[in-house]
Amino acid sequence: QVQLVESGGGLVQPGGSLRLSCAASGSIFSVGDMAWYRQAPGKERDLVARITSDGNANYADSVKGRFTLSRDNAKNTVYLQMNNLKPEDTAVYYCNALIRAGVPIYVNYWGQGTQVTVSS
């Protein structure tokens, strides 16, 4: 059974930083693209950033220059470094990954979500 376990959310003041982590565990054969999405109250879940297995990342315009996505393939873990946080970054952040585990296709998995609140 595959799980995505997120950590690192919390309350931070505007201009502050947080680092989110997401580790994939289970009987994993390989991990493809990994990503972070976020969902604010009353809004749709939107892509924040995505990274390929060879490390190519792309970002939503709203976070470019402030957020950095990276991954450690040996640990099946993706990290989202969030700097210069703004109140509009407040949301539940969800980890997402394409994983091959026991079947010859990539399956889409989601984490349980971690709350990020930016407020003074």
Side-chain angles (χ1 to χ4, degrees):
Q1 186 175 356
V2 173
Q3 284 188 314
L4 295 179
V5 179
E6 300 144 337
S7 61
L11 173 64
V12 64
Q13 292 186 343
S17 298
L18 283 174
R19 188 192 195 209
L20 304 183
S21 299
C22 171
S25 63
S27 301
I28 294 172
F29 180 75
S30 66
V31 181
D33 290 4
M34 303 184 81
W36 286 95
Y37 287 72
R38 67 186 181 186
Q39 187 168 20
K43 296 189 176 181
E44 295 184 351
R45 188 175 298 187
D46 293 325
L47 177 67
V48 176
R50 177 182 300 278
I51 188 167
T52 64
S53 56
D54 57 2
N56 291 315
N58 56 75
Y59 302 88
D61 288 343
S62 59
V63 306
K64 282 180 181 177
R66 300 188 297 121
F67 291 11
T68 302
L69 190 61
S70 61
R71 64 189 286 169
D72 184 335
N73 289 336
K75 297 181 179 179
N76 290 330
T77 299
V78 64
Y79 306 97
L80 184 66
Q81 177 66 43
M82 304 185 293
N83 298 329
N84 190 23
L85 282 160
K86 304 176 180 181
E88 52 263 42
D89 295 316
T90 296
V92 178
Y93 283 69
Y94 295 92
C95 179
N96 173 265
L98 293 172
I99 297 174
R100 284 183 61 190
V103 293
I105 59 172
Y106 282 95
V107 176
N108 201 30
Y109 288 90
W110 290 93
Q112 79 283 359
T114 185
Q115 177 70 46
V116 171
T117 302
V118 185
S119 175
S120 55

